[in-house]
Amino acid sequence: MVIPNEGDYLMKLSIGTPPVEFYAVADTGSDLIWIQCMPCMQCYPQDSPIFNPAKSSTYRELSCGSKPCTKLLRKTCSKTNGCQYYNSYGGGSYTAGDLATETFVFRSTNGEAAAFPTSVFGCGRRNSGTFTGSEAGLVGLGGGPLSLVSQLGAEIEHKFSYCLHPRSASSTSKLRFGMEAIISGEGIVSTPLVPKSPSTFYYLTLEGISIGGKTLPSTLGEGNIIIDSGTTLTMLESSFYNDLEAVIKEAIPLEPAEAPSPFSLCYATASSNRLPDMMFHFTGADLLLHPLNTFMETNNLNCLSIIPSDGSLSIFGNVAQMNFQVEYDLEEKKVSFAPADCTK
C-alpha cells in the first residue's frame, strides 16, 4: 500500500515476531531499510509506538565482521563488536543505530501475508531531520545490496512497480513485487537503466524536453538523471534548467509572481488553465507530463515543480511520476511507464 504524506509516499510493512505494523517512506533513492527503535537516544516524535526489539523473538543484531556490515558506506564497531550504521539524506536528515536482522511481513494484493525472515535493517537509535510523525522510518528501494529489492532479489524476480496518486486524492495505491509488478495497458514506454556508480541510484538518460513546438536537447550524456520516489521536486542541471525556464516563460503569456523558496518560477493560481504540457524525452520513451506533474499549488501560486540542481545530479522526482504506473525491471535493466489514474 502506498499513501501520500506531505512530500513523500509511505508504504506499510510489519516487523518482528509477533509482527508490528508500521508506515515508512518508500524511497528508490536510497538503500538501507530502517525504523526508529527503543531504547532511543534521540528520536523524532512518532504517531505510532516506536518498535521495541526486546519484544520480538526474531530480532538479532549483526556483528562488525558480518557480510551485511561490510556493505555499509559509513559504519563503526561498538565496544561489544556490534555493527553500527550511519546514513544521511538531503535536507540534513540522518539516522544512526544498530544493523540487525528481523522478519519482515508484507501483504500481497489478495491479502495474504508473505514473510521474509532474516531481512537486514537498521534499528535507528538516533534519528533527526525532516521526518514527520506518520513516518516510522524509511524503506530503501534503491539498487545497492542492502535495499529491500536487492535483499528480496530472485524472490520478487527483480521487479517492482508503483502508481503514485496525486496528493489531493484520499485513496491509496499499491507497491507491487514480482510478477504482480508487470504493468499493462495502453501507451507503455520503456527506457534503459544505465549502470553507474553509486549502485544505489537508478540512472536514466534524458535526451531533451519539448514544450509546444520547441525542443530543448540535453547535452549531458548517458545516465544524466536519476528517478527517485523519495524526492518531491524534479531537479535539472542548472544551465539546462535555465534554458527550460526561458522556454516556459515564452509559452505562458503571463507575468511571473515572486517565487518562494525552493521554487524558481511561479504564477498566480488563476493561471492554471494556461499552463502547458511538457514532453520529457528519455531514450526510447517519450513521457507526456501534464501541469499536474510539473506545477504545484502553494500560497495561492502555481509554482514550477522543477528547480535547478545545486550540483551535477539531476533528479526525476515524485510529482513528475504521479498518475503513471512505473515498473522497474532490474533483470532486463529498464524502467517502464504507462499513463494511469492511480486513484483507481
Side-chain angles (χ1 to χ4, degrees), residues 57 79 110 179 202-203 248 281:
S57 63
K79 287 173 184 167
N110 61 9
M179 296 308 282
Y202 297 116
Y203 295 92
I248 293 169
H281 304 284

Side-chain angles (χ1 to χ4, degrees), residues 11 13 24-35 68 70-74 85-89 95 99-100 104 106 119-122 137-152 160 196-203 226-230 328 330:
M11 63 180 284
L13 71 160
V25 177
D27 183 17
T28 60
S30 68
D31 293 324
L32 188 70
I33 309 158
W34 63 269
I35 58 160
T70 64
K71 292 172 180 171
L72 287 170
L73 288 176
R74 295 162 82 177
Y85 74 91
Y86 176 84
N87 245 29
S88 58
Y89 304 91
T95 174
L99 198 67
F104 281 41
F106 298 95
S119 296
V120 178
F121 83 114
L138 187 146
V139 178
L141 298 169
L146 294 180
S147 79
L148 179 66
V149 288
S150 295
Q151 288 193 59
L152 300 184
F160 70 99
K196 281 177 78 171
S197 183
S199 60
T200 300
F201 297 135
Y202 297 116
Y203 295 92
I226 67 168
I227 178 168
D228 185 5
S229 67
Y328 297 70
L330 307 180

Side-chain angles (χ1 to χ4, degrees), residues 244-261:
L244 178 68
E245 189 181 278
V247 174
I248 293 169
K249 284 177 175 173
E250 275 177 35
I252 301 174
L254 298 164
E255 193 61 36
E258 194 172 332
S261 178

